[in-house]
């Protein structure tokens, strides 16, 4: 009997190992754009199928599967008296606040006006939190390198369609907002595409900046700046100003971090600085090309100027200020659990002055305000605490980690983190974009052990 028990535990450990979580996560993150590509082909032959038709179901299924894997992991951990970590506590608090907001919603069961391709329901949140938890388990240098390569592959795949869109060549059609000659990739919205691309560009940039450590092939090393420049061009083609903000954050991150690390270890950082200058030179060249031969830069600049010059603060940022103001007005009455999970529309339709046809939004277009309004103050504080905890831990790792490979991977993922959290000030959390961020958030989160059962 004891032998059978050991065998069962051994099989369970293999099933719930770092390798298993790694494989399942990549199946989702790499498979999702492939599924969308196939879906868009199907839409050309079947009117009943629309773009993004299968994405909500796939993410929900992975949310259930990932949660079962995580529960199994905890059961196995407790039975073997493994240590509990701080990130484990965050996993549970994230689920707790999500559940409270869902249960006490002022519009129960409604998420983003019931739009199946825009909403975030509880199954989607379970997928996010599982991705975060999976990231905290993956420590292998080999797996982390493969993750960066996969991210770059996804970026290239998305950018091919984004590039075609800048010539108004579409595989199918845009389900959401799409302006003429504007890139939206496989995300169905140019803003979402801009957010995804600046995040993935951060990964591709890091791969080249530290290519002396991570890339053995000279051909690939030489190709990376060209690939990154192409990705940057399609990001500009999205016309999403939030992507500019995210890219500015990425630039500031590398300038500051490279200066700090140069003072700490001059010789070790010199190759990274050289590659950074080459890469940002390529980005600047693409920026000039886009400025001269397209209207991407001028149109966004003129749009921003007129929003400010108009004198109506509510109109700034494509009505974002008004959107935020409406949401924040609801906070004092619903500060504890919010108006309901992904139920931002409620702040408009519950307004006494609201009439059918008036302006409303399903998202705050600021992820932090969206959490505050829909899930309440405690939930936002918990999320911000997680971001700060992850940020501080990752910075300490970059500064103090003895293993140069581990430091390099954390450095790259931290750049991706910086680009995303800044652009999130102006963007919405969308399932097929934010899943990549939640995974990276787990990858940079410290694996601090806080408790161990006595033997």
């Amino acid at each position: 009997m004891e032998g059978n028990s050991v065998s069962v535990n051994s099989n369970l450990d293999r099933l719930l190992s770092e390798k298993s979580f790694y494989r399942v996560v990549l199946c989702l993150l790499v498979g999702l754009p492939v599924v969308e590509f196939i879906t868009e082909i199907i839409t050309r032959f079947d009117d009943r199928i629309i773009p993004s038709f299968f994405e909500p179901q796939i993410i929900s299924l992975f949310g259930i599967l990932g949660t079962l894997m995580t529960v199994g992991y905890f059961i196995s951990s407790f039975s073997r008296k493994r240590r509990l970590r701080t990130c484990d506590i965050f996993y549970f608090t994230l689920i707790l606040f999500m559940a409270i907001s869902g249960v006490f919603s002022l519009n129960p069961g409604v998420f983003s006006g019931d739009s199946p391709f825009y909403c975030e329901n509880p199954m989607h949140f379970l997928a996010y939190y599982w991705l975060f938890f999976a990231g905290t388990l993956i420590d292998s240098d080999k797996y982390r390198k493969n993750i960066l390569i996969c991210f770059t592959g996804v970026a290239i795949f998305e950018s091919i369609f984004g590039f075609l869109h800048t010539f108004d060549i579409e595989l199918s059609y845009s389900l959401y907002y799409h302006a003429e000659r504007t890139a939206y990739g496989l995300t169905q919205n140019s803003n979402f595409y801009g957010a995804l691309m600046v995040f993935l560009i951060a990964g591709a940039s890091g791969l080249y900046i530290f290519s002396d450590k991570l890339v053995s092939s000279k051909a690939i090393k030489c190709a990376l700046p060209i690939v990154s420049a192409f990705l940057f061009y399609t990001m500009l083609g999205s016309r999403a100003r939030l992507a500019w903000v995210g890219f500015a954050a990425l630039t500031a991150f590398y300038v500051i971090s490279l200066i700090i690390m140069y003072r700490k270890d001059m010789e070790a950082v010199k190759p990274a600085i050289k590659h950074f200058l080459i890469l940002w030179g390529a980005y600047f060249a693409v920026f000039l090309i886009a400025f001269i031969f397209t209207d991407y830069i001028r149109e966004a600049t003129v749009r921003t100027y007129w929003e400010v010059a108009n004198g109506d603060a509510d109109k700034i940022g494509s009505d974002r200020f008004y959107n935020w103001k409406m949401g924040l007005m609801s906070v004092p009455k619903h500060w504890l659990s919010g108006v309901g999970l992904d139920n931002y529309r409620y702040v408009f339709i519950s307004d006494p002055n609201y009439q059918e046809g008036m302006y409303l939004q399903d998202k705050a277009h600021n992820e932090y305000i969206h959490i505050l309004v829909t899930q309440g103050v405690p939930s936002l504080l918990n999320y911000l605490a997680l971001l700060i905890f992850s940020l501080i831990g990752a910075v300490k790792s970059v500064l103090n980690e003895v293993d140069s490979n581990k430091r390099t991977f954390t450095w790259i993922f931290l750049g991706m983190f910086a680009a995303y959290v800044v652009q999130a000030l102006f963007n919405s959390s969308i399932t097929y974009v934010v899943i990549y961020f939640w995974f990276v958030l787990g990858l940079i989160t410290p694996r601090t052990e806080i408790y161990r059962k006595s033997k």
Side-chain angles (χ1 to χ4, degrees):
M1 291 294 292
E2 185 176 348
N4 291 335
S5 176
V6 171
S7 177
V8 170
N9 287 333
S10 178
N11 291 331
L12 187 61
D13 282 345
R14 282 197 296 271
L15 183 64
L16 303 172
S17 65
E18 175 189 12
K19 185 176 184 179
S20 298
F21 277 89
Y22 159 78
R23 285 179 170 178
V24 176
V25 167
L26 286 194
C27 282
L28 173 61
L29 300 187
V30 176
L32 202 61
V34 174
V35 170
E36 175 55 24
F37 168 65
I38 295 171
T39 304
E40 293 207 15
I41 293 176
I42 295 174
T43 60
R44 300 181 69 89
F45 303 97
D46 190 341
D47 293 339
R48 295 171 298 177
I49 304 297
I50 62 177
S52 298
F53 186 85
F54 299 105
E55 285 182 354
Q57 296 93 320
I58 290 173
I59 296 175
S60 295
L61 287 173
F62 272 88
I64 296 170
L65 173 61
T67 301
L68 291 175
M69 290 179 67
T70 305
V71 170
Y73 177 86
F74 278 118
I75 292 173
S76 175
S77 296
F78 293 145
S79 67
R80 289 178 175 272
K81 299 181 180 179
R82 290 173 182 159
R83 295 179 182 180
L84 192 66
R85 306 168 301 163
T86 305
C87 49
D88 298 337
I89 301 300
F90 274 115
Y91 174 77
F92 290 119
T93 55
L94 286 166
I95 292 178
L96 174 64
F97 288 121
M98 179 270 288
I100 290 174
S101 177
V103 170
F104 293 99
S105 173
L106 300 177
N107 203 1
V110 176
F111 311 101
S112 286
D114 275 343
S115 170
F117 312 110
Y118 198 52
C119 77
E120 295 174 295
N121 64 43
M123 296 300 102
H124 297 153
F125 283 96
L126 288 179
Y128 300 164
Y129 305 151
W130 157 68
L131 286 165
F132 161 72
F133 180 77
T136 68
L137 297 180
I138 297 174
D139 198 39
S140 163
D141 289 348
K142 176 184 175 182
Y143 293 161
R144 290 185 158 219
K145 180 179 177 180
N146 290 344
I147 288 164
L148 276 174
I149 293 171
C150 288
F151 280 169
T152 304
V154 169
I156 294 170
F157 188 62
E158 288 274 358
S159 67
I160 291 171
F161 301 100
F163 180 74
L164 293 175
H165 294 156
T166 62
F167 296 94
D168 282 336
I169 301 173
E170 298 179 280
L171 182 61
S172 178
Y173 58 89
S174 175
L175 191 63
Y176 297 119
Y177 171 76
H178 169 52
E180 185 180 354
R181 298 176 67 87
T182 302
Y184 62 89
L186 298 169
T187 67
Q188 308 309 315
N189 183 297
S190 55
N191 277 338
F192 305 156
Y193 177 75
L196 178 62
M197 289 311 297
V198 74
F199 180 71
L200 296 178
I201 284 170
S205 298
L207 194 59
Y208 175 68
I209 289 171
F210 300 102
S211 57
D212 281 0
K213 290 179 177 294
L214 303 178
V215 181
S216 56
S217 169
K218 289 185 178 180
I220 294 176
K221 191 181 296 186
C222 292
L224 278 172
I226 300 172
V227 169
S228 299
F230 179 71
L231 301 179
F232 181 69
Y233 177 81
T234 67
M235 184 202 82
L236 293 176
S238 71
R239 305 177 188 269
R241 290 172 291 177
L242 56 89
W244 294 20
V245 176
F247 187 79
L250 176 66
T251 304
F253 166 79
Y254 271 115
V255 169
I256 294 170
S257 62
L258 286 171
I259 290 173
I260 292 173
M261 295 304 289
Y262 180 80
R263 293 178 176 177
K264 187 178 177 67
D265 191 347
M266 184 186 305
E267 292 303 318
V269 180
K270 275 185 177 180
I273 294 175
K274 174 186 174 182
H275 289 159
F276 170 81
L277 293 175
I278 292 172
L279 186 57
W280 257 253
Y283 288 149
F284 182 69
V286 170
F287 183 88
L288 289 179
I289 291 170
F291 180 78
I292 295 170
F293 296 103
T294 74
D295 68 337
Y296 303 152
I297 314 300
R298 292 190 297 273
E299 185 272 335
T301 304
V302 169
R303 183 157 36 112
T304 303
Y305 169 77
W306 282 113
E307 286 176 353
V308 175
N310 181 55
D312 186 355
D314 288 347
K315 295 294 182 181
I316 295 177
S318 300
D319 298 316
R320 276 173 172 76
F321 276 31
Y322 176 72
N323 193 11
W324 299 343
K325 182 175 71 176
M326 289 296 293
L328 292 173
M329 287 171 57
S330 72
V331 174
K333 291 183 179 179
H334 310 290
W335 67 271
L336 189 58
S337 60
V339 298
L341 191 67
D342 199 30
N343 189 25
Y344 199 83
R345 172 183 291 223
Y346 182 83
V347 303
F348 293 96
I349 62 177
S350 62
D351 182 51
N353 298 319
Y354 176 78
Q355 295 179 5
E356 189 69 30
M358 289 178 64
Y359 175 92
L360 59 77
Q361 281 286 350
D362 288 315
K363 301 283 188 180
H365 293 281
N366 176 307
E367 291 192 26
Y368 312 103
I369 292 178
H370 189 84
I371 294 173
L372 171 64
V373 173
T374 60
Q375 298 186 49
V377 174
S379 181
L380 177 63
L381 293 177
N382 179 68
Y383 181 62
L384 293 178
L386 171 58
L387 296 184
I388 294 169
F389 175 72
S390 301
L391 173 63
I392 292 174
V395 170
K396 287 182 178 179
S397 178
V398 173
L399 292 173
N400 304 320
E401 178 60 63
V402 176
D403 188 322
S404 63
N405 283 336
K406 291 188 183 301
R407 179 175 66 247
T408 298
F409 287 123
T410 302
W411 200 339
I412 296 171
F413 291 132
L414 186 56
M416 299 177 75
F417 169 90
Y420 188 90
V421 296
V422 172
Q423 69 80 36
L425 291 166
F426 306 97
N427 202 16
S428 305
S429 172
I430 297 297
T431 51
Y432 38 83
V433 175
V434 77
I435 53 175
Y436 296 93
F437 171 71
W438 277 103
F439 184 48
V440 167
L441 181 61
L443 290 170
I444 69 168
T445 299
R447 295 152 178 79
T448 310
E449 296 163 341
I450 60 174
Y451 173 76
R452 185 175 185 176
K453 287 186 177 181
S454 59
K455 293 186 179 179

